[in-house]
Amino acid sequence: DVVMTQSPLSLPVTLGQAASFSCKSSQSLVHSDGNIYLHWFQQRPGQSPRRLIYKVSNRDSGVPDRFSGSGSDTDFTLNISRVEAEDVGIYYCAQCTHWPPYTFGQGTKLEIK
Amino acid sequence: EMQLVESGGGLVQPGGSLRLSCAASGFSFSRAWMHWVRQAPGKGLEWVSVIKSDGRDTSYADSVKGRFTVSRDNAKNTVYLQMNSLRVEDTAVYYCASDGVRVEFSAFDIWGQGAMVTVSS
């Protein structure tokens, strides 16, 4: 199984400042079709998860452009350019290249300083 | 509006059974793969199962294989998760999530609100 490791586990950020989330996989996530099926999700307190980014760097519909994703092979990053209060929650990465099983990282909790 | 609504959660004793349902609306359900993902209290997300669009192919996490069965009724726009031989460690919020609705070949694009399953004596 592919193990997804996120860091840090907790990320205190000042409003208006940038935030960066790391996600590393135990093996390359490049699919035989050339795509990388690495997605990012946000889970606000008390809510269901919501996908923000699909295939490394593509924003889902309605996601603010302050969210961006990057990376390749085994190393991926989610960035928030200017953190807002509504961004508080837990952020998960997930790999959908090598399945079953689909695997999620353990999550990074974003909080406001 | 694209929507998934789970139902059927509740309290069950260890060894018991429960069936979850997930009703879809606002998109072409019969073309979408469907997943179940669970989240134990205070924990992260764990993928449970997937069923392809025609219902013929399914896959499961090792933790539920042989105990859980996923199925779908495309005429009713509904996916099901039959859970047998439940264990205390199956206690979690169970989410259904679609695959390939917003973007082809991209999993977990729409999520339901979740159904709480508590296994306890």
Side-chain angles (χ1 to χ4, degrees):
Chain A
D1 298 358
V2 178
V3 177
M4 305 299 290
T5 303
Q6 291 186 240
S7 62
L9 296 183
S10 178
L11 185 57
V13 178
T14 302
L15 287 173
Q17 295 299 108
S20 184
F21 306 80
S22 172
C23 173
K24 297 183 189 297
S25 58
S26 60
Q27 61 183 272
S28 173
L29 297 186
V30 180
H31 193 275
S32 57
D33 67 7
N35 287 304
I36 297 176
Y37 296 100
L38 182 285
H39 312 321
W40 288 95
F41 302 84
Q42 175 195 60
Q43 188 174 32
R44 290 169 170 155
Q47 294 188 13
S48 302
R50 163 200 182 197
R51 198 177 71 187
L52 298 175
I53 302 285
Y54 63 93
K55 291 192 280 186
V56 181
S57 59
N58 300 276
R59 267 190 308 276
D60 272 284
S61 175
V63 174
D65 61 7
R66 64 178 183 277
F67 289 91
S68 64
S70 63
S72 62
D73 202 26
T74 62
D75 202 343
F76 304 93
T77 303
L78 173 70
N79 289 302
I80 308 176
S81 58
R82 296 171 305 279
V83 169
E84 298 187 5
E86 66 177 18
D87 299 334
V88 164
I90 302 176
Y91 291 77
Y92 297 94
C93 61
Q95 71 82 22
C96 304
T97 295
H98 306 292
W99 63 273
Y102 297 79
T103 49
F104 290 85
Q106 69 271 54
T108 294
K109 186 175 185 178
L110 175 69
E111 56 186 28
I112 304 300
K113 278 185 190 175
Chain B
E1 180 191 5
M2 294 179 283
Q3 195 173 11
L4 296 170
V5 178
E6 298 96 338
S7 59
L11 173 64
V12 62
Q13 291 188 337
S17 298
L18 209 57
R19 188 178 84 153
L20 301 180
S21 299
C22 169
S25 60
F27 63 91
S28 182
F29 177 79
S30 62
R31 297 171 64 178
W33 293 16
M34 295 297 298
H35 299 265
W36 288 96
V37 176
R38 68 184 180 182
Q39 186 170 37
K43 302 297 184 183
L45 301 171
E46 179 189 15
W47 174 79
V48 172
S49 180
V50 65
I51 184 167
K52 294 188 180 179
S53 53
D54 62 5
R56 293 179 186 174
D57 289 329
T58 59
S59 292
Y60 300 91
D62 285 346
S63 57
V64 306
K65 200 173 295 182
R67 300 187 299 122
F68 290 12
T69 302
V70 61
S71 61
R72 65 191 294 161
D73 185 337
N74 285 344
K76 295 183 177 179
N77 287 351
T78 301
V79 61
Y80 305 97
L81 187 66
Q82 177 66 43
M83 302 182 293
N84 298 331
S85 303
L86 281 161
R87 305 167 179 167
V88 171
E89 55 265 34
D90 294 319
T91 295
V93 175
Y94 285 74
Y95 297 101
C96 63
S98 63
D99 188 325
V101 171
R102 291 204 165 109
V103 178
E104 198 176 24
F105 305 125
S106 66
F108 314 122
D109 48 3
I110 303 169
W111 294 69
Q113 88 286 355
M116 184 69 212
V117 172
T118 303
V119 185
S120 173
S121 54

